[in-house]
Each structure stands twice: as structure tokens, then as C-alpha cells.
Amino acid sequence: MAKRARAVRWGVPVAAVAVVAAAVGTGPVIAAVRGDQALPDRTAEQLLADVARTWQSGRMPPMSGTIVETASLGLPSLPGLTGLSGGPGPSAASATSLLSGSHQLKIWYAGEDRFRLMLPGEMSETDVVADGDTVWLWDSAANKATRLTAPAAPGGGRGGGHGGRPEGGFPLRPGPASPYATPEQAARQALKAAGSDTAISVGDDVTVAGRAAYQIVLTPTSAESLIKDVRVALDGEKLMPLRVQVYTKGAAEPAFEVGFESLSFTAPAPENFSFTPPAGAKVEQGTATPPVGHRPEAVAEAHDRGSVVGSGWDSVLVTSLPKVPAQDVPAQQQDGKGPDGLDVAALLDGLKGAATPVSGQWGSGRLLRTKVVSILITDDGRLLAGAVTPEALYRAAGVKG
């Protein structure tokens, strides 16, 4: 297999540079000053340009560390989420750990084709181990080892744009356990959201995992956004994201946070990338599925499922309620469950039961409010969601598309 794509070296495609460049050159209000600092003084514009250059170079230093992701989204306990499982990659944790609580991801990185990711669980662990052309997925709970290969591309050869590895996430695939596997992926999403309705400034220096860091603060200017600000901590020396925190209005603690708990920029020992299936383990051959954004058919499916009303921080997803699978579908999708174990029927019932009846010129339905997101289920079969006030949802529900 040829040289692997640069996805897992923090999953930042060159396209992200354009996002940052756009944030620098258009729209957002960028403050030119910052508070007292121990690091050399840099403006927000300079820091964004530094990050863009770091991402564009594609060269990440060898490192090892532990990432902790913590969420307190304020969602009620919902049936249908337990037992959810992801695809290949360390995504075996329950989706409820994302909604409330925290989990860890341990990483060892020596290069784009030599890395190890380990998601510890209770009395178990899930590992992705890459050493050159060999990539293993190890699930200790199932006592199963899967040797992963990239999917075949149309017309022959391997899928992906770089020697067989799909650009942007192989083999670390976003799943219910972690929509942002690393601080850099979360930072990329935050910068993508920053538009003309965002004020960008530099906060006080912070210390993350023992490292001095700058802090870029993204503050939505929209009154209808539930987000107070998003704080991206950048390593003062390496200029890579170390932590991302999302604060909601009226809250003293972040509703979501992903960041390094420990970090070392020394090269990991070679034995970290060596894996041999234990005696008695079930060994399989598997194909890694590219993330949704890198499969053309999945992009089309996502487009068919809904639309977005508004822009920036005021964006509202409008989609049809998911259909409960019928009884004549494959066995793994029966009893109202989706292909990944999601109990669609129970989840919808739980959402409706926790929501409050509402009505207006747009129609009628039920509204669920949390610290981070508002969800509207209309009686005509639509679902609207966004990090916005209910009024923004009602306005979007009245848009005829």
C-alpha cells in the first residue's frame, strides 16, 4: 500500500486553510489587542494565519497524550440511545457519554502511517494501531481483532486520495462516542462557524496539559444564538489546538469541552505501534468506511434528508422525522431500530415525551429546550434543531421550502 493519507494527523484537510483564511479576510470582527500574557504578543489575525500555515504544512510533530472530552448538554435521559455502536474506529462508547459525562482517548503519534488510538472502557479497551501498511482494530470486550483495508475505488484501485486511505478520517471515523475525536477537529468546526456574526478576539493565556497556550475567543453577535462563546486554546510553541470549550449564555462552566489532559512532544516508543492478536482472539479482515463527507452517495443522502435555514450561529436544520423501520427490513434493523442499533421509535417517543406542546402561525408541535440546543418536532412530521432560541425555530418552521 502506498503512503497513507494525512487524515489522522489531526484530520485537517487543506480545505480548512480556506476556512481560516476566510475568517481572517472577511466577516468577523477581529480584535487587535489581548490581555496580559506570558507568551509573545499576537493578535487574533496573526494567530489565525499561524494556524492556517500549520495546517497547510501538514507536518505534525511526534507526540503522545490523553484527550478528555466532557459534555453537559442538559438533555433529558432519552431511551433508544443505549447500546449504540459505531463503525470501525474507537467509537464503542455509549452515545450517552457524549450527552453527559466524559471519556478519554489516548494517542501515540509518530507519523501519518504510524499511530495508535486507544479508547479505554470499563474493563475493556478499543484500539486502532497503524504501523506502515498494517492497520488493526482491536476490541478487547469482543476479543476480536480486525485488520483494516481501505475500500476499493470505482474503476479499480484503493479508495481515497492518498495511497488508499480516504482523505479526512481513516481509520478514526466519527461515531456516537465522539463527533470530534481531537481538539483540532473541534477547532476546525468552530472556525467554520465563525462568519460575519462572530467577534474574534484573543483572551488571556491559559495552561493546558502543562503547556502555555494562546486563547482565541469566538463570540456570536446574534441575540438568538444560545452560544456565549467558543474558546480555542493554541499551543504557544506548536500553534496546534490543545483544547476547545463551548460556553452557553448564563453558564459558568463549559457545556462541551475537548482537550489534552496530558501531552508530550517526544517520539513514542516503537513498541506502541506493534500489535499481534492475542492467542484465542477472533481475527477478521475488514474494510474501513470513509467518513460521510468523503462518500459521494452519503453526501447525496444527507442532502435529501434536510436543509438548513439561516446561516452561521443561527443555522437551523430542518428535516423530516426519521421513519421507523418496518418489520420486513433485515433482522439487524427490526423492532424500530436503525442500522447502528439506534432505537428510532423509542428515541422519538422520548423526545416527544420530554417536550412541551407549542403552536403558532407556523403550525403546532412540541418543543425541547436545553442549554445548547432547541429541538422542535412539528405535527406535520418535521424536526428542526439548532443552537438557537425557540423563536428562531418557529421562524424556520414557517419557511416554505
Side-chain angles (χ1 to χ4, degrees):
M1 186 182 297
K3 194 175 184 181
R4 299 185 179 279
R6 308 185 176 195
V8 181
R9 57 156 207 279
W10 308 111
V12 182
V14 174
V17 178
V19 172
V20 177
V24 173
T26 65
V29 178
I30 301 180
V33 296
R34 56 192 295 263
D36 294 337
Q37 70 282 332
L39 294 169
D41 187 38
R42 279 189 173 96
T43 66
E45 186 171 1
Q46 289 171 332
L47 284 173
L48 289 173
D50 288 339
V51 172
R53 282 192 292 269
T54 299
W55 289 354
Q56 189 175 32
S57 73
R59 293 187 296 272
M60 298 304 296
M63 69 185 77
S64 60
T66 299
I67 293 173
V68 176
E69 184 179 274
T70 304
S72 178
L73 306 185
L75 283 171
S77 177
L78 296 173
L81 289 177
T82 56
L84 206 59
S85 61
S91 58
S94 167
T96 54
S97 67
L98 170 64
L99 303 179
S100 179
S102 64
H103 59 272
Q104 292 183 340
L105 177 68
K106 295 182 179 293
I107 23 179
W108 297 263
Y109 180 82
E112 60 189 37
D113 60 352
R114 298 194 75 204
F115 58 86
R116 183 179 190 132
L117 310 168
M118 191 266 279
L119 183 69
E122 294 184 12
M123 308 297 292
S124 66
E125 67 179 63
T126 303
D127 294 74
V128 174
V129 185
D131 187 7
D133 292 340
T134 304
V135 181
W136 286 97
L137 169 64
W138 165 242
D139 183 349
S140 68
N143 196 30
K144 183 175 71 173
T146 305
R147 183 165 181 168
L148 300 176
T149 58
R158 292 294 180 184
H162 293 262
R165 181 175 296 177
E167 183 78 28
F170 174 84
L172 183 56
R173 172 184 170 188
S178 179
Y180 310 118
T182 70
E184 184 147 339
Q185 289 174 318
R188 182 171 35 141
Q189 292 295 323
L191 290 172
K192 183 178 180 180
S196 59
D197 58 350
T198 309
I200 303 180
S201 61
V202 182
D204 292 336
D205 295 339
V206 293
T207 301
V208 179
R211 306 275 305 179
Y214 296 100
Q215 191 165 224
I216 295 178
V217 182
L218 311 175
T219 305
T221 57
S222 168
E224 292 188 327
S225 174
L226 299 180
I227 306 300
K228 174 187 175 184
D229 59 48
V230 178
R231 306 174 191 182
V232 181
L234 300 174
D235 187 86
E237 177 187 358
K238 306 295 184 180
L239 295 173
M240 58 173 273
L242 299 181
R243 185 181 67 194
V244 175
Q245 297 172 307
V246 179
Y247 284 81
T248 56
K249 292 177 179 177
E253 299 295 328
F256 176 84
E257 176 177 344
V258 56
F260 282 96
E261 181 180 63
S262 62
L263 177 62
S264 171
F265 285 108
T266 58
E271 54 264 30
N272 286 302
F273 313 110
S274 175
F275 178 80
T276 302
K282 182 180 180 180
V283 179
E284 296 180 345
Q285 187 74 28
T287 300
T289 304
V292 170
H294 302 279
R295 292 186 292 120
E297 72 278 11
V299 173
E301 291 170 5
H303 177 75
D304 292 340
R305 289 184 187 136
S307 59
V308 174
V309 176
S311 61
W313 302 100
D314 290 343
S315 298
V316 174
L317 172 67
V318 183
T319 184
S320 299
L321 287 174
K323 295 180 180 179
V324 176
Q327 294 300 311
D328 58 351
V329 297
Q332 69 269 23
Q333 299 183 29
Q334 288 182 2
D335 301 323
K337 292 186 178 181
D340 290 327
L342 176 64
D343 193 333
V344 178
L347 179 57
L348 288 177
D349 288 343
L351 281 171
K352 292 177 180 178
T356 302
V358 291
S359 62
Q361 293 183 348
W362 52 270
S364 60
R366 303 185 74 87
L367 173 71
L368 178 65
R369 302 184 63 173
T370 75
K371 294 185 295 183
V372 180
V373 67
S374 298
I375 301 172
L376 177 63
I377 301 175
T378 65
D379 291 340
D380 61 7
R382 292 176 295 162
L383 185 147
L384 297 88
V388 294
T389 62
E391 289 71 25
L393 294 187
Y394 302 152
R395 187 168 57 253
V399 175
K400 303 299 182 182

